[in-house]
């Protein structure tokens, strides 16, 4: 039986998809990327914001059309299936099986039941949203290439920000046991993975639910001992949870990239309070200052939400000034999306979409200037780069430095007279800086 698997949404969701792929292939299913040849299509959905929900629904409807041709079973998993469990089968009867966010370890059973001729009824499986599947024996099918992989270290969130639906579909914060993570990392390294990207709804609280203490620094130290792993990257570090111990681990462990993704969402105290964030502008300035003092070459990435209910023009100007002051190395801006069943969606002072988009564009225009300044500072310098591929039409290689996380940051374009292999590390002398990317050539004085 051939299975087409579609994974939507974030990198945390992708890890769940890779676990499901591992379970399916272990049980004899083969994979295909051709929907016209698939016996089964599995869609791991997202519904974090309206656009993601719309993409998930449209994808399900598009794939459901193949029921009239080759498709024998359509399985829907993940956030949309969890959040709209009462509506999804009723509204889209072509679906044969649904799995909630914590039920992905039942994917084989779901597919088998969906294919059974005498199944009769739709298959549904929903564990408690606070259940944590044991993936210690599962060999994931890594879909990001053999050179890098995401390592999901925790599930769920306890922050309860007023705009966020995650706790209601992903449950309370719960850490994956460290031994399980280390075994998984060793398997990935054995398979050739050189970069681990640590992800969770919030990585900085790792271990606190297990031991009462934050154990992310300890986890980093243990991961650094694994042979074959050369880069370890941190995403989703909440600013109020960044400790001196974590900063020291980033600073002293050679394998840990001097890079941190620190979502702050806003800078103005009034808006931060309405968002339910547990920090202030003053706190943010302080942690950014400390990071740059302790690790001068650190790359700081953040995300912002613009157009939050009640955001005044004065708040927007304050945020603009904050971005200008902090000069983040990497920045993403999203317009606020009112999500049902969240507190912020009930606020009366919602902002017009045109205003949200104008403010987002203004912030990104400012960041574009800041980013261009940063890339210009790299011209003439030699940096270590992981090769990620080759662009035939441009006759140039593409890669990433420690300053660039996969999919969300810029790229390093590499001119090389010699063939480079994906996953290799080379040293590149930067010759040109663009708005977000840089271009260079292999520096053979450093590359052996």
């Amino acid at each position: 039986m051939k299975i087409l698997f579609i994974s939507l949404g974030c990198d945390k969701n992708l890890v769940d998809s890779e676990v499901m792929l591992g379970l399916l292939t272990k049980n004899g299913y083969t994979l295909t990327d051709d929907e016209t040849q698939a016996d089964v299509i599995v869609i791991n959905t997202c519904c974090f914001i309206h656009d993601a929900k719309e993409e998930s629904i449209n994808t399900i409807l598009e794939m459901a059309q193949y029921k009239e041709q080759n498709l024998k079973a359509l399985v829907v998993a993940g956030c949309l299936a969890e959040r709209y469990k009462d509506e999804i089968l009723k509204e889209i009867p072509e679906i044969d099986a649904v799995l909630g966010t914590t039920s992905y370890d039942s994917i084989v059973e779901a597919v088998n039941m969906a294919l059974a001729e005498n199944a009769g009824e739709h298959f549904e499986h929903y564990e408690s949203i606070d259940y944590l599947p044991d993936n210690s024996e599962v060999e994931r099918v890594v879909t990001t290439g053999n050179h890098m992989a995401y390592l999901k270290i925790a599930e769920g969130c306890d922050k309860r920000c007023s705009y966020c639906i995650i706790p209601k579909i992903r449950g309370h914060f719960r850490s994956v046991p460290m031994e399980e993570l280390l075994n998984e990392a060793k398997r990935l390294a054995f398979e050739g993975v050189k970069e681990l990207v640590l992800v969770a709804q919030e990585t900085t609280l790792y271990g606190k639910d297990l031991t009462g203490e934050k154990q992310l620094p300890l986890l980093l130290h243990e991961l650094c001992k694994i042979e074959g792993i050369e880069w370890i990257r941190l995403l989703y570090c909440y600013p109020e949870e960044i400790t001196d111990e974590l900063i020291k681990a980033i600073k002293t462990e050679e394998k840990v990239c001097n890079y941190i993704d620190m979502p702050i969402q806003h800078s103005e105290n009034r808006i931060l309070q309405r968002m339910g964030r547990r920090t202030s502008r003053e706190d943010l300035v302080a942690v950014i200052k400390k990071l740059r003092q302790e690790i001068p070459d650190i790359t700081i990435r953040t995300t912002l939400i613009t157009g939050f209910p009640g955001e005044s023009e004065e708040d927007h100007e304050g945020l603009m000034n904050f971005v200008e002051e902090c000069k983040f190395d990497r920045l993403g801006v999203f317009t606020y999306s009112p999500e049902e069943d969240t507190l912020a969606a009930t606020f009366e002072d919602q902002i017009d979409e045109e205003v949200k988009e104008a403010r987002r564009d203004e912030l990104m225009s400012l960041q574009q200037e800041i980013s261009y300044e940063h890339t210009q500072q790299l011209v003439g310098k030699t940096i270590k780069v992981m090769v990620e591929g080759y662009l035939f039409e441009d006759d140039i290689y593409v890669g990433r430095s420690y300053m660039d996380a996969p999919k969300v940051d810029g790229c390093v374009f590499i001119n090389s007279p010699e063939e480079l292999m994906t996953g290799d590390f080379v040293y590149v002398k930067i010759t040109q800086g663009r708005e977000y990317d840089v271009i260079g050539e292999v520096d053979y004085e450093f590359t052996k």
Side-chain angles (χ1 to χ4, degrees):
M1 285 287 182
K2 294 182 179 180
I3 292 184
L4 171 70
F5 205 107
I6 300 173
S7 187
L8 304 174
C10 67
D11 39 40
K12 283 89 70 180
N13 217 36
L14 180 62
V15 173
D16 295 346
S17 295
E18 292 176 345
V19 170
M20 286 190 270
L21 286 169
L23 291 168
L24 289 166
T25 54
K26 182 180 179 181
N27 282 271
Y29 288 98
T30 57
L31 305 179
T32 179
D33 58 3
D34 185 352
E35 56 267 26
T36 66
Q37 298 296 315
D39 300 294
V40 182
I41 294 178
V42 181
I43 305 171
N44 195 17
T45 59
C46 176
C47 65
F48 179 55
I49 58 175
H50 174 76
D51 289 349
K53 178 169 60 177
E54 194 172 75
E55 180 187 22
S56 292
I57 294 171
N58 288 339
T59 301
I60 295 170
L61 293 174
E62 181 183 353
M63 294 301 108
Q65 296 178 25
Y66 291 95
K67 276 295 196 71
E68 300 175 1
Q69 302 174 33
N70 53 287
L71 189 63
K72 297 179 177 66
L74 179 60
V75 180
V76 175
C79 294
L80 188 80
E82 181 71 48
R83 187 176 179 186
Y84 297 104
K85 61 180 69 174
D86 296 329
E87 297 93 346
I88 190 167
L89 290 174
K90 179 181 177 182
E91 298 297 329
I92 312 178
E94 293 89 348
I95 297 172
D96 298 289
V98 288
L99 295 172
T101 54
T102 57
S103 304
Y104 57 83
D105 55 348
S106 298
I107 184 63
V108 175
E109 181 185 4
V111 171
N112 289 342
M113 291 295 292
L115 286 170
E117 292 182 5
N118 60 349
E121 297 181 359
H122 300 290
F123 177 84
E124 301 178 58
H125 191 179
Y126 291 94
E127 294 281 356
S128 163
I129 58 171
D130 291 322
Y131 170 67
L132 186 65
D134 181 359
N135 301 323
S136 58
E137 302 300 322
V138 180
E139 293 188 15
R140 285 163 50 191
V141 174
V142 177
T143 59
T144 51
N146 292 331
H147 58 292
M148 66 80 55
Y150 295 102
L151 185 68
K152 186 163 73 167
I153 67 174
E155 182 60 274
C157 185
D158 293 330
K159 293 296 190 187
R160 307 278 173 179
C161 299
S162 65
Y163 53 83
C164 185
I165 195 66
I166 290 298
K168 293 185 179 180
I169 55 178
R170 287 284 179 176
H172 289 292
F173 183 87
R174 52 218 190 272
S175 304
V176 179
M178 190 174 299
E179 183 178 358
E180 184 176 326
L181 291 174
L182 295 177
N183 288 336
E184 182 177 4
K186 289 173 185 175
R187 279 202 305 269
L188 292 169
F190 180 77
E191 293 168 5
V193 169
K194 298 178 181 179
E195 178 184 11
L196 290 177
V197 182
L198 273 54
V199 297
Q201 302 301 331
E202 176 181 1
T203 56
T204 28
L205 277 182
Y206 174 76
K208 192 169 184 181
D209 56 313
L210 299 177
T211 67
E213 297 180 357
K214 299 175 188 176
Q215 290 192 304
L216 182 56
L218 176 60
L219 176 62
L220 291 175
H221 292 313
E222 293 301 315
L223 288 171
C224 286
K225 297 176 183 177
I226 298 175
E227 186 176 352
I229 300 298
E230 296 193 40
W231 276 358
I232 300 171
R233 187 182 304 275
L234 285 173
L235 302 188
Y236 312 115
C237 297
Y238 277 51
E240 68 270 23
E241 307 294 352
I242 295 174
T243 62
D244 290 344
E245 291 77 13
L246 178 58
I247 295 174
K248 183 178 179 181
I250 299 171
K251 180 179 180 178
T252 59
E253 286 287 5
E254 189 174 326
K255 292 184 178 182
V256 179
C257 295
N258 288 352
Y259 177 106
I260 193 165
D261 170 69
M262 185 179 68
I264 64 173
Q265 313 308 4
H266 215 280
S267 65
E268 301 310 283
N269 291 338
R270 189 177 69 87
I271 300 300
L272 288 168
Q273 187 174 18
R274 298 196 87 198
M275 286 179 165
R277 303 291 289 183
R278 304 183 184 189
T279 189
S280 66
R281 181 177 181 132
E282 294 74 23
D283 294 334
L284 295 172
V285 170
V287 73
I288 292 167
K289 182 178 180 180
K290 178 179 285 190
L291 283 165
R292 286 177 169 159
Q293 282 180 338
E294 294 295 321
I295 314 171
D297 64 343
I298 193 167
T299 292
I300 301 177
R301 174 180 174 77
T302 195
T303 50
L304 301 173
I305 296 174
T306 189
F308 190 79
E311 182 189 57
S312 65
E313 188 60 36
E314 183 180 356
D315 294 322
H316 174 63
E317 288 301 323
L319 182 55
M320 290 282 291
N321 293 335
F322 180 79
V323 171
E324 176 65 46
E325 175 187 349
C326 293
K327 294 189 181 300
F328 294 102
D329 303 275
R330 307 286 186 263
L331 175 71
V333 183
F334 303 90
T335 58
Y336 167 72
S337 175
E339 295 304 309
E340 57 187 305
D341 299 325
T342 62
L343 179 61
T346 68
F347 294 166
E348 294 182 357
D349 43 3
Q350 301 287 325
I351 307 294
D352 290 341
E353 287 299 324
E354 289 184 1
V355 175
K356 295 180 192 177
E357 292 171 5
R359 290 177 179 174
R360 176 199 59 199
D361 293 346
E362 193 173 359
L363 282 162
M364 286 309 301
S365 179
L366 171 59
Q367 178 59 28
Q368 197 172 54
E369 296 175 9
I370 294 170
S371 179
Y372 183 73
E373 292 175 8
H374 287 160
T375 62
Q376 294 307 300
Q377 292 170 6
L378 290 174
V379 174
K381 296 182 178 179
T382 295
I383 59 176
K384 185 178 180 180
V385 176
M386 175 186 278
V387 179
E388 294 221 299
Y390 176 69
L391 303 178
F392 288 94
E393 62 274 17
D394 298 313
D395 188 27
I396 198 167
Y397 291 90
V398 62
R400 292 182 293 109
S401 72
Y402 82 88
M403 297 172 275
D404 307 302
K407 296 185 179 181
V408 294
D409 292 332
C411 297
V412 180
F413 294 99
I414 312 161
N415 288 299
S416 174
E418 299 182 8
E419 184 179 5
L420 304 178
M421 300 298 293
T422 297
D424 283 353
F425 285 98
V426 295
Y427 285 89
V428 178
K429 185 173 184 179
I430 304 304
T431 57
Q432 181 182 347
R434 295 178 175 177
E435 290 168 345
Y436 296 109
D437 308 314
V438 292
I439 303 172
E441 54 193 30
V442 177
D443 191 332
Y444 289 101
E445 288 186 18
F446 291 87
T447 301
K448 303 294 184 182

